[in-house]
Short mmCIF file of all heavy atoms in Angstrom, two decimals:
data_model
loop_
_atom_site.label_atom_id
_atom_site.label_comp_id
_atom_site.label_asym_id
_atom_site.label_seq_id
_atom_site.Cartn_x
_atom_site.Cartn_y
_atom_site.Cartn_z
N VAL A 1100 4.30 10.66 -13.62
CA VAL A 1100 4.42 9.85 -12.42
C VAL A 1100 3.91 10.57 -11.21
O VAL A 1100 4.26 11.76 -10.97
CB VAL A 1100 5.89 9.45 -12.14
CG1 VAL A 1100 6.01 8.57 -10.89
CG2 VAL A 1100 6.38 8.52 -13.32
N LEU A 1101 3.03 10.00 -10.45
CA LEU A 1101 2.51 10.61 -9.16
C LEU A 1101 3.44 10.04 -8.09
O LEU A 1101 3.71 8.79 -7.90
CB LEU A 1101 1.16 10.20 -8.88
CG LEU A 1101 0.51 10.57 -7.59
CD1 LEU A 1101 0.50 12.12 -7.29
CD2 LEU A 1101 -0.99 10.06 -7.49
N ALA A 1115 11.59 11.38 -1.15
CA ALA A 1115 10.64 12.00 -2.20
C ALA A 1115 11.36 13.02 -2.98
O ALA A 1115 11.23 13.11 -4.23
CB ALA A 1115 9.46 12.57 -1.51
N GLY A 1140 8.31 20.30 -0.89
CA GLY A 1140 8.88 21.50 -1.34
C GLY A 1140 9.83 21.51 -2.64
O GLY A 1140 10.75 22.21 -2.68
N VAL A 1146 1.22 20.13 -8.73
CA VAL A 1146 0.53 19.94 -7.47
C VAL A 1146 -0.91 19.61 -7.77
O VAL A 1146 -1.62 20.39 -8.48
CB VAL A 1146 0.68 21.12 -6.57
CG1 VAL A 1146 -0.15 20.88 -5.19
CG2 VAL A 1146 2.10 21.43 -6.26
N GLY A 1164 7.10 5.01 1.93
CA GLY A 1164 6.67 4.80 3.23
C GLY A 1164 6.57 3.32 3.57
O GLY A 1164 7.29 2.49 3.00
N GLY A 1165 5.61 2.97 4.46
CA GLY A 1165 5.40 1.55 4.70
C GLY A 1165 4.14 1.08 4.08
O GLY A 1165 3.65 1.62 3.19
N LEU A 1202 16.61 2.71 -3.89
CA LEU A 1202 15.84 3.77 -4.36
C LEU A 1202 16.18 4.27 -5.82
O LEU A 1202 15.37 4.41 -6.71
CB LEU A 1202 15.91 5.00 -3.37
CG LEU A 1202 14.95 6.20 -3.65
CD1 LEU A 1202 13.50 5.72 -3.52
CD2 LEU A 1202 15.28 7.29 -2.55
N ALA A 1238 -11.58 -3.24 0.20
CA ALA A 1238 -10.29 -3.36 0.81
C ALA A 1238 -9.38 -4.18 -0.01
O ALA A 1238 -9.86 -4.97 -0.82
CB ALA A 1238 -10.50 -4.03 2.19
N ASN A 1240 -6.32 -5.56 1.68
CA ASN A 1240 -5.92 -6.53 2.55
C ASN A 1240 -6.98 -7.31 3.23
O ASN A 1240 -7.08 -8.54 3.01
CB ASN A 1240 -5.04 -5.93 3.65
CG ASN A 1240 -3.64 -5.85 3.27
OD1 ASN A 1240 -3.11 -6.38 2.29
ND2 ASN A 1240 -2.80 -5.06 4.13
N VAL A 1244 -14.68 -7.42 11.19
CA VAL A 1244 -15.73 -7.00 12.08
C VAL A 1244 -15.29 -7.30 13.49
O VAL A 1244 -14.92 -8.33 13.87
CB VAL A 1244 -17.00 -7.88 11.80
CG1 VAL A 1244 -18.15 -7.58 12.80
CG2 VAL A 1244 -17.47 -7.70 10.41
N LYS A 1246 -15.16 -6.28 17.95
CA LYS A 1246 -15.85 -5.72 19.11
C LYS A 1246 -15.54 -4.32 19.39
O LYS A 1246 -14.39 -3.80 19.07
CB LYS A 1246 -15.61 -6.58 20.35
CG LYS A 1246 -14.14 -6.50 20.86
CD LYS A 1246 -13.95 -7.40 22.07
CE LYS A 1246 -12.60 -7.17 22.61
NZ LYS A 1246 -12.32 -7.97 23.84
N ASP A 1258 -21.74 -18.55 1.08
CA ASP A 1258 -22.63 -18.88 0.00
C ASP A 1258 -24.09 -19.06 0.34
O ASP A 1258 -24.70 -19.99 -0.11
CB ASP A 1258 -22.14 -20.07 -0.80
CG ASP A 1258 -20.75 -19.84 -1.44
OD1 ASP A 1258 -20.47 -18.73 -1.88
OD2 ASP A 1258 -19.98 -20.81 -1.50
N CYS A 1272 -12.14 -11.08 7.09
CA CYS A 1272 -12.23 -11.51 5.82
C CYS A 1272 -11.17 -10.99 5.00
O CYS A 1272 -11.09 -9.71 4.86
CB CYS A 1272 -13.67 -11.21 5.13
SG CYS A 1272 -15.03 -11.84 6.11
N ALA A 1273 -10.30 -11.80 4.46
CA ALA A 1273 -9.05 -11.30 3.81
C ALA A 1273 -8.80 -11.84 2.35
O ALA A 1273 -9.33 -12.87 2.02
CB ALA A 1273 -7.86 -11.67 4.70
N VAL A 1290 -1.10 -17.24 2.21
CA VAL A 1290 -1.53 -17.61 0.93
C VAL A 1290 -0.71 -16.90 -0.11
O VAL A 1290 -0.54 -15.64 -0.10
CB VAL A 1290 -2.99 -17.35 0.67
CG1 VAL A 1290 -3.52 -17.70 -0.66
CG2 VAL A 1290 -3.84 -17.96 1.74
N PRO A 1316 -12.75 -17.98 -4.62
CA PRO A 1316 -12.92 -16.55 -4.86
C PRO A 1316 -14.20 -16.12 -5.42
O PRO A 1316 -14.56 -15.04 -5.42
CB PRO A 1316 -11.73 -16.42 -5.94
CG PRO A 1316 -11.70 -17.64 -6.63
CD PRO A 1316 -11.84 -18.64 -5.47
N LEU A 1343 -21.06 -0.47 13.58
CA LEU A 1343 -22.00 -1.55 13.16
C LEU A 1343 -22.96 -1.74 14.40
O LEU A 1343 -22.51 -2.32 15.42
CB LEU A 1343 -21.29 -2.85 12.97
CG LEU A 1343 -20.35 -2.97 11.75
CD1 LEU A 1343 -19.60 -4.22 11.66
CD2 LEU A 1343 -21.14 -2.75 10.43
N VAL A 1349 -22.65 -7.89 7.51
CA VAL A 1349 -21.55 -7.45 6.60
C VAL A 1349 -21.38 -8.51 5.58
O VAL A 1349 -21.15 -9.70 5.87
CB VAL A 1349 -20.31 -7.26 7.45
CG1 VAL A 1349 -19.14 -6.94 6.48
CG2 VAL A 1349 -20.49 -6.18 8.50
N VAL A 1358 -6.33 -4.08 -7.49
CA VAL A 1358 -5.24 -3.08 -7.34
C VAL A 1358 -4.03 -3.59 -8.12
O VAL A 1358 -3.75 -4.75 -8.05
CB VAL A 1358 -4.86 -2.86 -5.88
CG1 VAL A 1358 -3.59 -2.14 -5.65
CG2 VAL A 1358 -6.01 -2.12 -5.13
N GLU A 1367 17.60 -6.38 -6.87
CA GLU A 1367 17.94 -7.60 -6.19
C GLU A 1367 17.19 -7.78 -4.82
O GLU A 1367 16.74 -8.86 -4.45
CB GLU A 1367 19.46 -7.61 -5.85
CG GLU A 1367 19.95 -8.89 -5.41
CD GLU A 1367 21.51 -8.99 -5.34
OE1 GLU A 1367 22.05 -8.43 -6.23
OE2 GLU A 1367 22.04 -9.53 -4.34
#
Side-chain angles (χ1 to χ4, degrees):
V1100 175
L1101 174 60
V1146 179
L1202 191 58
N1240 272 351
V1244 176
K1246 69 177 184 180
D1258 294 328
C1272 300
V1290 180
L1343 294 174
V1349 176
V1358 165
E1367 188 172 321

